């Protein structure tokens, strides 16, 4: 079975600073990996996804993530944080498109300080 | 193209009552998924449906919970005899049919927040 670990339930950065949110996965077969963002009392919005094409994936709002098989990681980065980036971020994995269930990490709450 | 729609957005029930949560997938999507999010936790998969078929219900509690996706109309998640532990946000997601681009990508609705008193 697959699993996702997000290191750091809370991350705080200053506006303009680099954002790094960590995600490690466990899977016995090549995974599909996703990052979603959730704003308070809202649903999840897809930021980006990895589906075995390029290992560096670019998403919306200048976010990107790099798939590193050797490290079983899919960390999310953004060069310069904006106040509007404050939200909860979830990493998710799907290993069987036939079954399709996403397994989510526990989430990382990003705070952006002025 | 409207996104995934869920209603109601908020639902309050007393213990023992029934809760019905509705989900209309994005236009052209034939796959529907339900997830539950307990406070301060990530989302947990419950069930995956296609029209008139339950494909995977491995995440559904064995009792009191059921889901359907009829030929016409929205998908329904039904919780009978609710208990306080059922209080959570329930999210629906949808994806395109298999074989179409991005079929592995799930698009989420805004959720229904259920509170059991």
């Amino acid at each position: 079975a697959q699993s996702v670990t997000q290191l750091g339930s809370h991350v705080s950065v200053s506006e303009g600073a680099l954002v790094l949110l960590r995600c490690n996965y466990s899977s016995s077969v090549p995974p599909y990996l996703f990052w979603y963002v959730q704003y308070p009392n809202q649903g999840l919005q897809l930021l980006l996804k990895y589906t075995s094409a390029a290992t560096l994936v670019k998403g919306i709002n200048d976010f990107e993530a790099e798939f590193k098989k050797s490290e079983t990681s899919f960390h999310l980065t953004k060069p310069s944080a904006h106040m509007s980036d404050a939200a909860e971020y979830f990493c998710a994995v799907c290993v069987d498109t036939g079954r399709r269930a996403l397994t989510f990490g526990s989430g990382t709450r990003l705070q952006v300080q002025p | 193209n409207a996104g995934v729609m869920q209603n109601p957005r908020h639902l309050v029930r007393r213990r023992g009552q029934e809760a019905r949560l509705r989900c209309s997938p994005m236009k052209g999507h034939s796959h529907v998924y339900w997830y539950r999010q307990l406070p301060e936790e990530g989302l947990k998969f419950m069930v995956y449906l296609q029209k008139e078929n339950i494909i995977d219900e491995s995440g559904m509690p064995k009792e009191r919970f059921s889901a359907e996706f009829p030929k016409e109309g929205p998908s329904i998640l039904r919780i009978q005899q609710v208990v306080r532990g059922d209080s959570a946000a329930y999210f629906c997601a949808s994806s395109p049919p298999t074989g179409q681009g991005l079929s592995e990508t799930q698009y989420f609705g805004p959720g229904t927040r259920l509170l059991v008193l």
Side-chain angles (χ1 to χ4, degrees), chain B residues 4-11 13 18-25 32-34 68-70 73-78 90-93 109-112:
Chain B
V4 177
M5 299 176 69
Q6 291 187 247
N7 67 80
R9 295 289 306 273
H10 299 273
L11 182 61
R13 286 288 177 266
E18 177 179 288
R20 280 181 180 245
L21 289 62
R22 296 174 184 79
C23 169
S24 296
V32 165
Y33 318 80
W34 286 93
E68 63 176 5
F69 189 16
S75 175
I76 306 287
L77 179 67
R78 181 183 180 204
Y90 292 83
F91 291 95
C92 171
T112 294

Side-chain angles (χ1 to χ4, degrees), chain B residues 66-116:
Chain B
S66 62
E68 63 176 5
F69 189 16
K71 186 177 180 179
E72 301 290 338
S75 175
I76 306 287
L77 179 67
R78 181 183 180 204
I79 311 172
Q80 295 178 289
Q81 299 175 338
V82 296
V83 300
R84 288 202 174 131
D86 297 332
S87 296
Y90 292 83
F91 291 95
C92 171
S94 72
S95 66
T98 305
Q100 293 191 10
L102 304 177
S103 62
E104 71 286 344
T105 301
Q106 297 180 21
Y107 298 87
F108 283 79
T112 294
R113 280 147 183 88
L114 172 65
L115 175 62
V116 179

Side-chain angles (χ1 to χ4, degrees), chain A residues 32 34 36 38 41-44 46 49 51 90 97-102 104-106, chain B residues 9 33 35 37 42-43 45 48 56 58 91 95 98 102-106 108-109 113:
Chain A
Y32 291 90
F34 305 81
Y36 285 88
Q38 184 181 32
N41 296 316
Q42 294 188 27
L44 276 69
L46 180 67
K49 65 177 183 179
T51 57
F90 292 97
T97 54
R99 181 169 177 269
R100 291 175 174 254
L102 288 172
F104 283 86
S106 55
Chain B
R9 295 289 306 273
Y33 318 80
Y35 292 82
Q37 184 180 33
L43 280 72
F45 169 77
Y48 159 37
D56 180 358
S58 58
F91 291 95
S95 66
T98 305
L102 304 177
S103 62
E104 71 286 344
T105 301
Q106 297 180 21
F108 283 79
R113 280 147 183 88

